[in-house]
């Protein structure tokens, strides 16, 4: 199939999932055309059957707000014709599915579009009164809709009062690439052999509660030697760096910024802290689990669909810094239990979230949608 893909190309779960999906599909012989304002971070242009089409937005002085959604729609229609696309797959409803709807109308031919909902497009943006009608409309108009968790599907149907079939296709990892590897030299760059390596991985937005991650680590560090790797970047980073110094753990916390090879950092980690206010899925938890790193996370949104409490990680109420720190310490003081939990996490990923099992579900949906138009 020839598939047009649109996502937010910057760091963020939805863009990562869209890119990884595209790469997996290309490996399976499909032709993938990414259409966006920038090349997605993890896209490898050397990979066969992967193409990128940049959307440039005109900055005419009359436009106080550059009309990206329209430029995107035009580009989608243009690429649909030049590359003879079979369908469009957009990640994140706003504004991508609206642009896809317009592109469909512009081409005047059967150009189905599939919308994958990732979370904040529904829980924050879509539910905003100013976007609600158009979000609802574009979901209803999609030829296929997927959500990354049952939680997100149910919330979407409820909040938008929709009668629409939404397929739950969970996020995934490439299980051969995402696996723990011994990297002693990298580990020693951050920690002594006696120290634990704890990681936090996010885009440092308020919803991630990065300050909780630091407070949890401060409590852990009082009971067990360790280092914290803060991986990612975003609006709350400067405040977090300040708080780390205030908490007296500044010398034990590394702010690494955005990293492309997170496989390496997860391979040297013992635990992941994910104290988010909300996660419709929690891709960071899944990526950690693939590396045998149990997540200490919050029991929110779709996270319980990923992490089994007490088996492959620990789940706590939002803000329960004490509980999360105590659970982490208990595991660090019991290496056998920590190893067992890490292995259970990996097994859970292998059974439920490997690309080899998830990608065919997207292919089946594409075929189903195309068949209904035939
Ligand atoms: O969480 C973010 O800030 C980024 C956001 C996005 O749209 O990129 O992540 C959402 O999609 C990810 C990939 O499907 C999920 O793993 C995250 O849980 C979800 N974030 C929220 O629901 C807050």
């Amino acid at each position: 199939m020839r598939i047009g893909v649109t996502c937010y190309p910057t760091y963020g779960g939805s863009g990562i999932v869209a890119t990884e999906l595209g790469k997996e599909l290309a490996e399976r012989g499909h032709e993938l055309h990414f259409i966006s304002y920038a090349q997605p971070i993890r896209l490898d242009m050397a990979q066969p059957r992967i193409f990128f089409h940049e959307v440039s937005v005109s900055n005419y002085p009359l436009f106080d707000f550059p009309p990206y959604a329209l430029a995107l729609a035009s580009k989608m229609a243009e690429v649909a014709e030049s590359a003879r696309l079979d369908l469009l797959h957009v990640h994140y409803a706003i504004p991508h599915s609206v642009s896809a709807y317009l592109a469909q109308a512009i081409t005047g031919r059967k150009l189905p579009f599939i919308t994958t909902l990732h979370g904040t497009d529904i829980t924050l943006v879509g539910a905003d009164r100013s976007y609600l009608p158009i979000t609802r409309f574009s979901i209803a108009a999609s030829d296929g809709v997927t959500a990354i968790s049952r939680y997100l599907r149910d919330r979407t149907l409820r909040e938008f009062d929709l009668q629409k079939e939404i397929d739950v296709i969970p996020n995934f990892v490439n299980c051969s690439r995402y696996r723990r590897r011994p990297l002693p030299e990298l580990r020693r760059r951050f920690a002594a052999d006696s120290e634990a390596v704890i990681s936090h991985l996010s885009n440092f937005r308020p919803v991630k509660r990065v300050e909780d991650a630091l407070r949890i680590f401060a409590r852990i560090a009082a009971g067990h030697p360790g280092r914290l790797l803060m991986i990612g970047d975003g609006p709350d980073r400067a405040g977090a760096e300040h708080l780390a110094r205030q908490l007296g753990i500044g010398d034990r916390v590394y702010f690494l910024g955005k990293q492309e090879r997170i496989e390496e950092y997860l391979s040297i980690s013992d635990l992941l802290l994910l104290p988010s206010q909300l996660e419709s899925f929690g891709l960071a938890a899944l990526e950690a689990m693939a590396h045998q790193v149990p997540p200490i996370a919050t029991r929110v949104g779709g996270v319980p669909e990923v992490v089994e409490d007490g088996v492959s990680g620990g789940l706590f109420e939002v803000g329960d810094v004490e509980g999360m720190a105590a659970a982490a310490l208990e595991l660090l003081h019991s290496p056998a239990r920590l190893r067992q939990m890490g292995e259970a996490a990996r097994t859970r990923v292998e059974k439920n979230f490997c690309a080899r099992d998830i990608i065919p579900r997207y292919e089946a949906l594409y075929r189903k949608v195309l068949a209904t138009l035939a």
Side-chain angles (χ1 to χ4, degrees):
M1 281 175 256
R2 287 181 292 271
I3 304 156
V5 180
T6 294
C7 62
Y8 283 106
T10 46
Y11 284 84
S14 59
I16 291 171
V17 171
T19 310
E20 295 294 340
L21 173 60
K23 285 156 66 173
E24 296 285 341
L25 286 165
E27 252 174 47
R28 295 168 74 95
H30 303 286
E31 196 175 288
L32 273 294
H33 292 262
F34 284 82
I35 310 168
S36 184
Y37 61 85
Q39 189 181 310
I41 303 292
R42 289 198 192 172
L43 202 61
D44 175 8
M45 294 309 297
Q47 189 182 340
R49 295 180 289 281
I50 295 262
F51 301 88
F52 171 61
H53 307 267
E54 186 177 332
V55 179
S56 45
V57 191
S58 148
N59 249 345
Y60 188 61
L62 194 63
F63 297 154
D64 273 347
F65 308 100
Y68 176 65
L70 302 184
L72 176 61
S74 291
K75 194 70 176 181
M76 282 170 161
E78 186 188 308
V79 176
E81 291 313 291
S82 60
R84 292 177 296 117
L85 296 182
D86 294 306
L87 57 90
L88 295 169
H89 186 169
V90 302
H91 295 257
Y92 218 89
I94 295 292
H96 301 154
S97 55
V98 180
S99 303
Y101 175 81
L102 287 175
Q104 190 180 57
I106 294 167
T107 58
R109 70 164 167 96
K110 290 173 184 166
L111 178 68
F113 71 97
I114 286 157
T115 301
T116 289
L117 307 172
H118 284 271
T120 46
D121 45 354
I122 294 306
T123 57
L124 298 180
V125 186
D128 179 326
R129 285 281 135 192
S130 50
Y131 293 113
L132 194 142
I134 200 155
T135 309
R136 186 178 193 281
F137 171 82
S138 64
I139 294 171
S142 300
D143 297 282
V145 182
T146 79
I148 52 167
S149 60
R150 294 190 297 278
Y151 157 81
L152 186 58
R153 175 198 57 198
D154 297 347
R155 187 160 171 185
T156 305
L157 293 174
R158 202 174 54 242
E159 227 149 88
F160 292 91
D161 191 19
L162 276 165
Q163 307 286 323
K164 179 95 183 168
E165 191 179 334
I166 299 182
D167 285 303
V168 175
I169 305 186
N171 288 336
F172 58 88
V173 288
N174 181 311
C175 286
S176 353
R177 205 153 35 86
Y178 277 62
R179 61 165 57 249
R180 197 171 183 89
R181 293 186 167 78
L183 294 168
E185 278 176 25
L186 181 67
R187 197 178 196 285
R188 275 190 211 114
R189 261 175 48 196
F190 299 104
D193 290 350
S194 57
E195 291 176 314
V197 176
I198 321 278
S199 291
H200 169 77
L201 168 62
S202 81
N203 54 11
F204 287 56
R205 290 195 305 113
V207 72
K208 304 295 176 183
R209 294 179 71 99
V210 287
E211 293 201 349
D212 279 7
L214 292 169
R215 292 185 198 283
I216 296 165
F217 176 72
R219 283 166 174 76
I220 296 173
H224 191 287
R227 304 279 166 159
L228 176 65
L229 307 186
M230 296 290 282
I231 308 166
D233 210 336
D236 287 351
R237 175 170 169 176
E241 292 195 32
H242 180 67
L243 180 65
R245 288 190 293 273
Q246 274 186 331
L247 292 171
I249 51 172
D251 56 340
R252 273 164 288 167
V253 182
Y254 298 93
F255 286 88
L256 300 178
K258 294 171 182 172
Q259 292 295 328
E260 270 176 49
R261 293 199 305 275
I262 56 134
E263 300 96 295
E264 296 184 357
Y265 293 98
L266 290 173
S267 279
I268 62 165
S269 300
D270 297 305
L271 284 172
L272 177 90
L273 302 179
L274 189 68
S276 306
Q277 181 77 33
L278 180 62
E279 290 290 348
S280 297
F281 184 88
L283 184 63
L286 182 66
E287 292 180 328
M289 287 163 68
H291 292 84
Q292 292 167 237
V293 179
I296 300 293
T298 38
R299 189 180 290 106
V300 291
V303 177
E305 296 173 45
V306 183
V307 182
E308 298 152 297
D309 189 19
V311 181
S312 44
L315 297 180
F316 298 84
E317 296 312 305
V318 174
D320 183 6
V321 167
E322 292 292 345
M324 289 188 254
L329 273 173
E330 210 179 306
L331 286 169
L332 294 175
H333 285 140
S334 168
R337 174 91 186 99
L338 178 61
R339 201 174 324 108
Q340 186 189 45
M341 204 176 243
E343 282 164 10
R346 173 71 198 185
T347 304
R348 181 157 174 75
V349 175
E350 295 243 7
K351 277 199 185 139
N352 302 282
F353 302 104
C354 281
R356 61 171 180 259
D357 300 316
I358 302 296
I359 307 305
R361 293 173 61 180
Y362 279 108
E363 288 174 302
L365 175 65
Y366 296 161
R367 281 195 296 271
K368 187 172 109 186
V369 164
L370 287 170
T372 57
L373 296 179

